């Protein structure tokens, strides 16, 4: 028993060392070498779901989709309670238009965690590809009811409201996303694009000036306002805001490029 226990501990330490080495290689952008270390770990412990999952992730980086799928599946089999392998498989199947397989993986996730926001995001993506936009809206509304401050949920939901002709709901949802994270350019520029489509120029000007007063990356916000003024041929105001963007980030290159191009 003592000998067996010692061997088990030694093997466990060796597996951990291989995983640690593999992570180091991944951080150094050397996925091919990391794969060798992960495979060594898996050879010693074929049921190690951590090594299996991270090996699949390395194959994703190497753009070897078939190998990644195989090891995500093995990771899920090794630990049936683990959610990440099923989410990854669902994402891959969605991206490759294998919608039935994607649905199956999402169902497994929701059985394990009925409150999984990521699962609802993927499910809405499936429904969009199935051209069932109303169902996708319901799915994202459910996700928003679980976490009302999730930016990805709110922005995706606002876009769907626009596609389904619910402009008032879209505006409220974009505003809610912006209130949740005023630094989110996707949130405030999504609303700006919506106003622009409706030719609500005064509302855009008022909103972008408000955006500048909120926390976030100031040079981006000044640049967005400057571009708006430039598009409206208000060149003095455009120049003023391009210059403010430069002053906000004097060591950044892009504000200078934007100003010089203007």
């Amino acid at each position: 028993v003592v000998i067996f226990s010692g061997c088990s501990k030694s093997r466990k330490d060796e597996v951990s060392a291989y995983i640690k080495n593999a992570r180091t290689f991944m951080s150094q952008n050397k996925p091919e070498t990391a794969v060798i270390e992960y495979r060594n770990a898996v050879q010693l412990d074929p049921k190690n779901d951590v090594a299996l999952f991270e090996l699949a992730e390395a194959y994703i980086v190497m753009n070897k989709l078939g190998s990644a799928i195989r090891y995500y599946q093995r990771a899920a089999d090794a630990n049936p309670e683990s959610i990440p392998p099923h989410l990854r498989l669902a994402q891959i199947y969605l991206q490759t238009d294998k919608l039935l397989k994607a649905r199956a993986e999402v169902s497994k996730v929701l059985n394990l965690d009925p409150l999984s926001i990521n699962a609802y995001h993927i499910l809405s993506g499936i429904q969009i590809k199935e051209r069932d936009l109303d169902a996708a809206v319901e799915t994202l509304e459910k996700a928003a009811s679980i976490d009302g401050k999730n930016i990805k949920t709110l922005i995706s939901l606002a876009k769907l409201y626009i596609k389904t002709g619910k402009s008032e709901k879209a505006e409220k949802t974009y505003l809610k996303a912006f209130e949740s994270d005023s630094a989110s350019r996707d949130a405030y520029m999504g609303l700006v694009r919506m106003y622009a489509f409706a030719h609500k120029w005064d509302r855009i000007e008022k909103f972008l000036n408000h955006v500048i007063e909120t926390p976030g990356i100031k040079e981006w916000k000044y640049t967005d306002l400057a571009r708006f003024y430039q598009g409206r041929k208000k060149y003095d105001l455009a120049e003023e805001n391009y210059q403010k963007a430069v002053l906000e980030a004097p060591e950044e290159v892009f504000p200078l490029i934007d100003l010089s191009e203007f």
Side-chain angles (χ1 to χ4, degrees), residues 171 188-212 221 224-229 232 234:
E171 181 179 10
Y188 70 78
M189 286 306 295
L191 184 55
V192 166
R193 283 189 287 270
M194 179 182 161
Y195 287 153
F197 186 77
H199 303 290
K200 296 180 178 179
W201 312 118
D202 291 344
R203 191 170 292 187
I204 292 174
E205 182 178 13
K206 183 179 179 180
F207 178 61
L208 283 178
N209 276 287
H210 166 66
V211 166
I212 286 173
K221 296 183 175 186
D224 290 326
L225 181 57
R227 286 174 179 161
F228 165 73
Y229 282 132
R232 302 301 297 159
K234 297 182 178 181

Side-chain angles (χ1 to χ4, degrees), residues 193-260:
R193 283 189 287 270
M194 179 182 161
Y195 287 153
F197 186 77
H199 303 290
K200 296 180 178 179
W201 312 118
D202 291 344
R203 191 170 292 187
I204 292 174
E205 182 178 13
K206 183 179 179 180
F207 178 61
L208 283 178
N209 276 287
H210 166 66
V211 166
I212 286 173
E213 302 303 319
T214 61
I217 303 175
K218 295 288 187 182
E219 62 267 28
W220 290 4
K221 296 183 175 186
Y222 278 119
T223 299
D224 290 326
L225 181 57
R227 286 174 179 161
F228 165 73
Y229 282 132
Q230 185 176 348
R232 302 301 297 159
K233 298 183 179 180
K234 297 182 178 181
Y235 297 123
D236 290 344
L237 289 171
E239 182 178 12
E240 178 185 334
N241 283 281
Y242 278 127
Q243 289 174 340
K244 287 180 179 178
V246 171
L247 292 174
E248 283 291 335
E251 297 180 358
E252 294 291 330
V253 172
F254 289 109
L256 286 167
I257 292 175
D258 289 331
L259 178 58
S260 65

Side-chain angles (χ1 to χ4, degrees), residues 18 47 59 62 93 116 141 154 165 195 219-220 226 250:
Y18 280 131
K47 296 294 184 181
Y59 278 126
M62 294 168 62
Y93 291 141
S116 171
E141 285 177 340
L154 294 171
Y195 287 153
E219 62 267 28
W220 290 4

